[in-house]
Amino acid sequence: MQLYYGDIIPYLGPLLQGLAVSLGVSLAAAVAGGALGVLLYAGSASDVRICRAASRTYIEVIRNTPLLLQLYLVYFALPQAGVNLDPIAAGVVALTLNNAAYMAEIYRAGFQSVPAGLREAGAALGMSSRDTFWRVLFPPAVRNVLPAITNQTILLFLASSVTSVVALPDLMHAMLGITSTTFRTIETFTVGGLLYFSVAFLIAGASRVVETKFIRWKVA
């Protein structure tokens, strides 16, 4: 067996297009999942029993079932309920719902790491519960778990490759198409793997820059 990467050069365009789709889907799911994760954490920490039970049940169900199963339910089961989603929309929805559960647990760890004195200080200043949450507790909580958020974002990007099973035109889908045409399986997956690695490496590097250069406050 002789490796030859020359046959892959004409397909660099489709590979980069697939990478762009993977990045777009992952970014949308990261933002939406991060926002939904805040709501899930707030619900799980709520004094209202129904909200607390619903949020915790959702988190446990999502974290203990495969992402592929969740994607199949979104893409194949929802149409039976009259909700038809194209592959990209289904991928974003499935990744968002999955990411939100993990982000809620990350937020929980972050808020538990914030000293109780900050909450008391907010109350002493006459701040509302909402202002105390967003202005006093949220910034240091996110700062304390930024490495975990970064790790989850990288895992989300890598997990987006699963969406290729519903014909979403992402990087993995492009790689599979190229291998079926060129039969250069090792070469194709090596190049694709390097693209996945490069993006994950850049995300980790950007997180370190943000943590050291832009986020200067820290709660001991």
Side-chain angles (χ1 to χ4, degrees):
M1 181 183 64
Q2 184 177 2
L3 298 180
Y4 178 65
Y5 288 87
D7 291 342
I8 308 302
I9 294 178
Y11 296 96
L12 290 179
L15 284 173
L16 293 177
Q17 292 176 2
L19 178 61
V21 172
S22 295
L23 285 171
V25 169
S26 301
L27 178 60
V31 174
L36 180 57
V38 175
L39 297 179
L40 285 172
Y41 164 72
S44 66
S46 173
D47 293 330
V48 181
R49 181 177 299 179
I50 295 178
C51 292
R52 186 170 63 251
S55 296
R56 292 180 178 177
T57 299
Y58 175 90
I59 291 171
E60 291 303 318
V61 169
I62 294 296
R63 291 175 67 237
N64 291 283
T65 53
L67 172 59
L68 183 59
L69 171 63
Q70 298 160 17
L71 177 61
Y72 279 157
L73 287 174
V74 171
Y75 189 70
F76 293 111
L78 285 183
Q80 299 182 17
V83 181
N84 295 289
L85 300 176
D86 59 53
I88 292 181
V92 171
V93 170
L95 290 172
T96 295
L97 296 177
N98 182 272
N99 185 45
Y102 289 93
M103 289 298 295
E105 287 296 282
I106 291 174
Y107 290 139
R108 181 178 64 83
F111 281 102
Q112 288 180 349
S113 69
V114 176
L118 287 181
R119 187 186 302 272
E120 297 171 357
L125 292 173
M127 300 177 67
S128 64
S129 298
R130 177 181 299 178
D131 287 340
T132 300
F133 180 86
W134 289 109
R135 296 176 181 272
V136 179
L137 302 179
F138 189 76
V142 172
R143 167 61 178 80
N144 291 344
V145 294
L146 183 58
I149 293 176
T150 301
N151 185 61
Q152 174 60 23
T153 302
I154 292 174
L155 290 176
L156 177 68
F157 168 68
L158 299 179
S160 68
S161 61
V162 174
T163 59
S164 63
V165 300
V166 294
L168 191 150
D170 66 339
L171 178 55
M172 181 60 71
H173 186 269
M175 290 161 57
L176 294 173
I178 294 170
T179 57
S180 65
T181 302
T182 64
F183 299 101
R184 292 289 181 180
T185 303
I186 296 177
E187 294 90 333
T188 302
F189 281 99
T190 300
V191 173
L194 287 174
L195 290 176
Y196 276 117
F197 172 81
S198 298
V199 172
F201 185 80
L202 289 174
I203 293 174
S207 175
R208 286 192 292 270
V209 171
V210 170
E211 185 175 1
T212 57
K213 300 295 184 180
F214 298 100
I215 302 181
R216 301 184 180 277
W217 33 261
K218 183 176 181 181
V219 178

